Amino acid sequence: MSIETKSGTRQPRTRTRAGNVALSAVRGLALAFISLPGAVVCFCLTMVSVALVPIGVGIVTTPWVLTGVRAFADRRRLLAAEWGGVRIPRVYRPLPEDANPWARTFGMLRDPATWRDIGWLPVDMTAGFVTALLTAVLALYPLEGFAIGAGLWRVLPDGYWYGFVRVTDQTSALYATALGAALLLAALWLTPLLLRAHFRLTGAILGSGQGELAERVRVLTETRRDAVDTSAAELRRIERDLHDGAQARLVAVGMDLGTIEALLEKDPAKARELLAQTRQSSADALTELRDLVRGIHPPVLAERGLGDAVRALALRLPVTVEVEVDLPGRAEAPVESAAYFAVSEILTNAVKHSGADRIWIDLHHEEGRLRVSVTDNGKGGALIGAGSGLAGVERRLGTFDGVLAVSSPAGGPTMVTMEIPCALS
């Protein structure tokens, strides 16, 4: 087991305009290859599955299909934030953990966010595909004009058209080069805008629109109820642990001290033996109390902050972990605690279920948000669903108006990203 840490001030990445265009073109090409097949498959499976609901087959298949659609949409939300700076809220209604297939199917179908996802799929396979492809074409097409001017026109068919220029000889080939140069100048300005337009189109459909405020109130009401229930359960756990652990040991210590007092004059040897046992019992009780306190709020989190607490957490893992921290200040204690236990849950899931041998953790704060990413090189397949640890993490973050996004294709890697609005002191 090893851990590598990096800290310091995150330096802004400077990129030339040409580099920006090239990166946007590559991203647009990748999106084009993802948008069309992914959206077509998701849309067809959804329509077939929903159509089979009346005969009962869809009751079983629809929750799985819609979970896949949500994962596809979540991936686009993640790319929109990372590549386009467009934040698209995730406001799905939570489902009961013990919901049966019937309740899960109709619970998901009654969710307005589900129908926004379904309505987005046809747009993504048409307008989304076109805007993504144009981002790449606008950057790559000028290169053909330069190649024509450099001599490619000699092997092209007679009367080849490059844009509105008909190439027949070297002179017309130079005209094609001039057109390519003009298109390249336009691409320097338009390519990043087209990529952002793709994500803004996605956000316009996946976003909750005019009902955002009502949906936000509903989500916050539910997360507040979850927080109250979680707090009550935590208090019961603490009371049970105190009653069954430290309290029982302390009662035994008191009884042993009474016995020792009675044996001091009659049997000093037996008294010394009981005294040693009492000392060990008091040490065990102290250890249990420390473990209990650590489970409520780890001392390193209170004393050193979230970054060092996550580093300490990573040190206890049986896999190689890299931790990068860029937090110029500290968030409020409840936010730090929520982020810490969310990271702890995700790391536990990664170690238990992913089969990963390497994990990367990144913590930084930007644009008024605490952002935490946990990536592992495991087998993938992680989903946010009822009964999973990630569903509990999502509820924990929802208390602070935070969001959770998961990218975990089959075969890996898995990337879990959390964002919590907060200010640093």
Side-chain angles (χ1 to χ4, degrees), residues 44-380:
C44 291
L45 288 177
T46 301
M47 293 296 99
V48 171
S49 184
V50 172
L52 293 176
V53 168
I55 64 175
V57 177
I59 298 296
V60 178
T61 60
T62 299
W64 294 98
V65 172
L66 292 182
T67 298
V69 172
R70 290 183 177 187
F72 184 67
D74 283 344
R75 180 61 180 173
R76 193 60 57 84
R77 289 185 179 95
L78 186 62
L79 294 179
E82 292 184 346
W83 290 0
V86 178
R87 300 190 180 278
I88 306 173
R90 188 182 192 275
V91 287
Y92 298 113
R93 293 178 179 177
L95 297 171
E97 294 186 2
D98 57 349
N100 57 40
W102 181 277
R104 286 180 58 80
T105 296
F106 288 97
M108 297 177 85
L109 290 177
R110 282 194 293 265
D111 189 346
T114 297
W115 294 102
R116 285 196 294 270
D117 288 350
I118 296 174
W120 164 69
L121 292 174
V123 176
D124 192 48
M125 70 177 74
T126 53
F129 173 75
V130 171
T131 53
L133 190 61
L134 277 178
T135 303
V137 169
L138 190 59
L140 297 177
Y141 192 55
L143 301 181
E144 182 183 352
F146 297 144
I148 290 173
L152 182 64
W153 67 273
R154 299 179 187 278
V155 298
L156 294 176
D158 291 338
Y160 180 83
W161 286 89
Y162 176 74
F164 56 81
V165 176
R166 188 168 183 268
V167 180
T168 56
D169 52 20
Q170 184 62 50
T171 300
S172 57
L174 292 177
Y175 290 153
T177 301
L179 177 59
L183 290 175
L184 183 60
L185 289 175
L188 293 176
W189 178 65
L190 289 176
T191 300
L193 292 181
L194 278 172
L195 186 65
R196 182 177 285 268
H198 171 88
F199 291 122
R200 288 194 179 279
L201 175 65
T202 301
I205 300 173
L206 287 182
S208 50
Q210 295 181 350
E212 181 175 359
L213 182 58
E215 187 73 9
R216 193 175 185 83
V217 170
R218 184 194 60 78
V219 170
L220 290 176
T221 301
E222 292 184 356
T223 55
R224 183 184 63 181
R225 184 177 62 248
D226 289 339
V228 171
D229 293 342
T230 301
S231 297
E234 186 70 8
L235 287 174
R236 289 193 297 269
R237 182 189 68 82
I238 293 170
E239 182 180 11
R240 183 178 62 252
D241 290 347
L242 284 173
H243 182 272
D244 297 340
Q247 178 176 315
R249 290 188 181 278
L250 291 175
V251 170
V253 167
M255 295 174 63
D256 287 343
L257 288 175
T259 303
I260 291 169
E261 186 178 9
L263 292 175
L264 277 176
E265 295 182 359
K266 297 179 181 180
D267 192 348
K270 184 65 175 178
R272 283 193 296 270
E273 181 181 346
L274 283 176
L275 189 60
Q277 294 178 4
T278 303
R279 184 184 300 111
Q280 182 60 44
S281 296
S282 66
D284 292 342
L286 182 59
T287 299
E288 290 184 2
L289 286 173
R290 286 174 175 168
D291 291 340
L292 184 62
V293 170
R294 189 177 293 112
I296 300 171
H297 196 77
V300 67
L301 179 62
E303 297 170 4
R304 303 291 299 276
L306 181 61
D308 286 340
V310 170
R311 289 191 182 103
L313 189 64
L315 282 170
R316 298 197 292 269
L317 297 180
V319 298
T320 301
V321 182
E322 293 185 26
V323 182
E324 183 174 353
V325 178
D326 178 18
L327 298 176
R330 294 191 58 174
E332 296 180 352
V335 173
E336 285 191 333
S337 180
Y340 173 84
F341 286 107
V343 171
S344 176
E345 178 69 26
I346 292 169
L347 292 177
T348 300
N349 287 345
V351 172
K352 285 185 177 180
H353 307 299
S354 72
D357 59 10
R358 196 171 186 88
I359 299 175
W360 295 265
I361 305 173
D362 178 78
L363 296 91
H364 63 273
H365 186 271
E366 60 182 11
E367 299 179 1
R369 290 173 175 263
L370 174 65
R371 184 182 177 91
V372 184
S373 298
V374 180
T375 307
D376 67 65
N377 62 350
K379 61 185 179 182

